[in-house]
Structure formats: C-alpha cells, structure tokens
Amino acid sequence: KEGFVFEISQEVFKNDLVINLPILKLDSKLGVKGAMENLLRFWKKESYLGQKYLYGDEELILKLKEVFDGLVTKSKILNVADGTIIQKSDKQAVILDLILASFNPQNVDRVFAEIAMIPLSQYLKSVKIEEIEVLGRQIGEVQWELEKA
C-alpha cells in the first residue's frame, strides 16, 4: 500500500483470540498512545523499524488501521487497556484506576481521549463517541483534564 510494507506476525493468524494489552499514555504528538499504537507491535520487527524510520506514528497507525480493516482472519483481537496510572506527555503520572476494553482498538483510544479531554488525533476524528456503547461508569463520571492535572 503506497510504499508501506506490512509483514504482520503469524501469531495474529494462528489464534482464535489475540489479546492486545496496551498501557494508556498521553503523547504530545499523537495525543493518545494506546490500543492502536500498541498494534504496531504486531508487525514483524524489521518491517516496523523500517517504516518507523520513514513515517510518523500517526501515519503508521492510519495505514495499519486500513490493513487490519481489510484483513480476513479467524482471529479476533480483544483490546484491554490499562488506565490505572496514566503517564502524561510531560512524563508526570496521574492515577485514574481505569480499565477499558473493546474489540475495536479505535474505540478504546477514542473513549480515553474523551476521558482525558484532549484534542483528537487524525486517526480518532472519524470515531463518533456517541456510537460507542459504554458499560460501567459513564465517561462524564471519570472525565478529567489530564494535561492540566
């Protein structure tokens, strides 16, 4: 795809369920480092490092989303994100005590961006928060302007 080489680990294709376990963080460039950014590790290391040298994280995430959307595999990827202690972009930590989960990694990142009250990265702008089913505590109950905390 347009100069991108995607060599995805065979483990994604060998299993019925793959569990993606990102640790949620805030990033000055990307906004949210979470489930989508963690999926970059599904690439074979050599392929990932070559692409990372040429492109920024957000561009890689957008292309990876296209690839995963087009993949037909028996595997389901469950994203369970650790939001217990959040590292802010200035490297300070905030305790939120959250766990977010979804089969859609963008939903995890979008809900976290809403909770943290940060501007949306390009890869999250198409995800409508009102279309995401939230169980347990509602977003407004745990919302906190993390970058100002």
Side-chain angles (χ1 to χ4, degrees), residues 7-35:
E7 292 182 58
I8 298 173
S9 171
Q10 289 300 309
E11 297 305 314
V12 174
F13 303 99
K14 289 181 184 176
N15 298 290
D16 292 332
L17 179 66
V18 176
I19 301 174
N20 179 25
L21 297 169
I23 297 172
L24 296 170
K25 300 179 205 92
L26 297 179
D27 181 72
S28 58
K29 294 180 196 162
L30 197 56
V32 171
K33 279 195 169 185

Side-chain angles (χ1 to χ4, degrees), residues 29-134:
K29 294 180 196 162
L30 197 56
V32 171
K33 279 195 169 185
M36 284 298 293
E37 191 260 348
N38 208 53
L39 287 177
L40 294 174
R41 281 127 182 104
F42 284 23
W43 269 348
K44 288 188 176 177
K45 186 176 183 179
E46 301 79 22
S47 180
Y48 169 72
L49 292 175
Q51 296 302 322
K52 183 145 176 72
Y53 179 76
L54 297 172
Y55 304 99
D57 282 340
E58 188 161 13
E59 192 171 6
L60 291 176
I61 287 171
L62 285 167
K63 290 298 178 186
L64 185 66
K65 178 194 173 313
E66 287 178 28
V67 169
F68 273 97
D69 286 349
L71 280 180
V72 178
T73 70
K74 66 176 187 163
S75 300
K76 284 195 168 199
I77 300 172
L78 176 60
N79 304 278
V80 182
D82 179 356
T84 309
I85 299 174
I86 306 298
Q87 180 179 313
K88 301 188 315 180
S89 55
D90 65 2
K91 306 297 184 209
Q92 297 294 316
V94 175
I95 299 171
L96 273 189
D97 284 334
L98 292 175
I99 300 292
L100 304 177
S102 176
F103 281 104
N104 183 330
Q106 284 185 287
N107 286 355
V108 170
D109 290 354
R110 179 63 177 89
V111 168
F112 179 60
E114 192 73 15
I115 289 169
M117 301 173 73
I118 60 170
L120 297 178
S121 298
Q122 190 63 39
Y123 80 98
L124 292 176
K125 288 184 179 178
S126 65
V127 181
K128 294 180 177 27
I129 194 71
E130 56 277 354
E131 294 178 4
I132 301 172
E133 183 178 3
V134 176

